[in-house]
Amino acid sequence: MHKDDVALRKMLALVRSGEATSRAEIARRTSLARSTVGQQVNHLLTSGLVTEDEGGDTVRGRPPRVLRISPQAGVIAAADVDGTATHLAISDLTGKVLAREVTTIPVEAGPERALGDLTARIRALLDGHASDRPLRHVVVGLPAPITPDGCTVKAPITLRAATMSGWDGTPVATHLEQALSAPVTVDNDVNLMALGEAAHDAPGPLLFIKAGAGIGSGVVTAEGTVLRGADGAAGDINHLRIAHDSDVVCACGHTGCLGSVASYRAVLNDLDIPFPEDPLHGSRQLAELVASGDPTTLRRIRRAATHLGEAAALLIQFQNPRTLVLGGLLAQLNDDVLSGVRAAVYDRAAPLFTRKLTITTSTLGDQAGVLGGITLALDRTFDNDGLTRLLNDR
């Protein structure tokens, strides 16, 4: 690697992080000569990757010149794909969201149809709001385990198997890279939700549990790293056996699985509410029963919350997080879910693990996944490979 590129990488990293936003600060941080810093900064300015503007007022003398990543340097795109609703967003390289959209992607129709529709929606969003800027990276979250390279869906038999039928072994990233002419990272949807919450001031280490049609979890370390596991399946707790007295047979063939007793789908089934083509319709029906104070509904939701709390207690004693965040359709229903989870966690987990633990519902709601996708896309844009592409494109 040429020494000039090494210097440019260091400078871009310092400017992006805010650790050094002036030529003098960069020289101090890198120990490079001011003349070298000036020359390289001028290259970055000419390439359009950074801007240099006057900063705030000073008591005397000229205002300082502040270096920032240029909003015109490119955009990134993020998609949180779900059978209920798919959230899309694009942002510039400073992290400013330029546009959002909620749409329906037919995941159950298989990868060819779904990825075709997803590509079309991303292109439309880019054409409408950032047609003059290059696309630097795309992140897509899917409701299934993903291989460590972020390219291939691995969909085992779960409560979500019907939704993800036909996706096993699909090279999602390769397909989208060819269609969008940009690097693509694919990750599990709950990992992105956890990353979104962690990036928006939730103290880490952080454990995120999504209670939707199935149940999954994501872990973000104190350093901001997502734990994905050897096969990309870390956090897939849908089949954790938690209800030993349950005779409900899970899609995997066993009884007592967390997803079969505590998921949104399981609650609907027990209340004889058909799981609809539009899951939000079932959510509205359930919300109406909760609002009316229907005792059967409230008892069933509290039972689901207890099971979620019991599973959370196991994870908490293994991972020792600082924050537990609950998300998904079930967690958004009412305070009984949060209070039930809290009660079970404090009952089952030792005080050592709970005395500093914060248990809360998602502050980002249904935007957690797509905002986590933006965070990951920016990280990938400015990692070593991403910086190489940026510098080669200048």
Side-chain angles (χ1 to χ4, degrees):
M1 185 184 300
H2 194 277
K3 65 179 182 179
D4 286 348
D5 280 349
V6 174
L8 288 171
R9 286 168 183 266
K10 290 181 179 178
M11 292 179 191
L12 274 173
L14 289 168
V15 170
R16 188 206 171 203
S17 67
E19 295 178 55
T21 57
S22 71
R23 298 180 188 225
E25 289 173 347
I26 289 174
R28 284 195 295 271
R29 291 273 187 169
T30 61
S31 299
L32 294 170
R34 290 201 175 197
S35 59
T36 301
V37 170
Q39 183 181 42
Q40 299 303 330
V41 167
N42 288 338
H43 282 327
L44 291 174
L45 291 170
T46 301
S47 70
L49 292 178
V50 301
T51 61
E52 188 175 35
D53 305 300
E54 288 187 357
D57 296 334
T58 57
V59 176
R60 61 182 181 177
R62 294 178 57 188
R65 303 282 292 177
V66 177
L67 293 163
R68 298 184 178 89
I69 299 296
S70 172
Q72 299 301 314
V75 295
I76 57 94
D80 178 19
V81 180
D82 189 85
T84 303
T86 291
H87 293 263
L88 306 174
I90 56 173
S91 84
D92 61 28
L93 297 192
T94 71
K96 179 182 178 182
V97 176
L98 304 176
R100 304 175 194 255
E101 179 179 283
V102 182
T103 187
T104 300
I105 299 296
V107 178
E108 71 287 347
E112 184 174 353
R113 165 81 184 280
L115 293 177
D117 284 10
L118 179 60
T119 298
R121 295 315 311 156
I122 292 175
R123 281 178 177 161
L125 208 58
L126 291 167
D127 289 344
H129 300 276
S131 59
D132 59 335
R133 288 176 254 189
L135 179 61
R136 300 296 188 180
H137 207 98
V138 179
V139 167
V140 175
L142 290 171
I146 308 297
T147 52
D149 59 7
C151 291
T152 307
V153 174
K154 295 184 71 177
I157 300 174
T158 69
L159 285 176
R160 295 171 289 178
T163 300
M164 298 300 293
S165 178
W167 285 77
D168 191 23
T170 302
V172 177
T174 301
H175 180 102
L176 292 174
E177 284 173 351
Q178 293 172 350
L180 296 169
S181 301
V184 175
T185 297
V186 184
D187 206 340
N188 174 260
D189 59 343
V190 189
N191 286 342
L192 295 186
M193 292 174 187
L195 194 57
E197 294 288 341
H200 287 76
D201 299 326
L206 179 142
L207 168 64
F208 188 101
I209 296 179
K210 177 188 176 183
I215 298 176
S217 71
V219 177
V220 179
T221 68
E223 295 73 33
T225 301
V226 176
L227 297 182
R228 296 184 173 86
D231 296 306
D236 193 0
I237 59 173
N238 204 58
H239 300 285
L240 185 67
R241 192 179 185 198
I242 203 71
H244 295 277
D245 59 346
S246 173
D247 59 359
V248 178
V249 180
C250 179
C252 70
H254 294 97
T255 59
C257 293
L258 181 62
S260 69
V261 296
S263 67
Y264 162 74
R265 185 194 294 263
V267 170
L268 289 184
N269 286 343
D270 283 357
L271 295 173
D272 293 325
I273 300 174
F275 193 77
E277 290 292 329
D278 174 12
L280 289 179
H281 177 68
S283 180
R284 286 189 289 269
Q285 286 184 276
L286 197 54
E288 289 171 2
L289 289 171
V290 170
S292 69
D294 179 69
T296 301
T297 302
L298 294 177
R299 279 196 301 271
R300 183 60 185 88
I301 288 174
R302 288 166 185 160
R303 188 162 77 248
T306 297
H307 289 313
L308 284 172
E310 290 168 346
L314 294 173
L315 299 176
I316 286 164
Q317 294 197 126
F318 178 72
Q319 297 163 351
N320 191 202
R322 183 62 63 237
T323 307
L324 167 62
V325 181
L326 305 174
L329 289 170
L330 193 63
Q332 296 169 13
L333 271 176
N334 73 342
D335 291 339
D336 282 356
V337 176
L338 178 60
S339 60
V341 169
R342 278 179 173 160
V345 167
Y346 288 122
D347 178 56
R348 296 301 181 95
L352 172 64
F353 299 94
T354 59
R355 62 189 178 192
K356 294 182 180 179
L357 178 69
T358 298
I359 304 175
T360 184
T361 52
S362 171
T363 59
L364 301 178
D366 56 13
Q367 294 296 308
V370 75
L371 293 177
I374 288 174
T375 298
L376 182 56
L378 290 173
D379 287 344
R380 293 295 170 87
T381 300
F382 289 99
D383 67 12
N384 282 335
D385 290 340
L387 285 174
T388 297
R389 286 188 290 267
L390 284 175
L391 295 173
N392 288 338
D393 288 345
R394 70 186 190 276

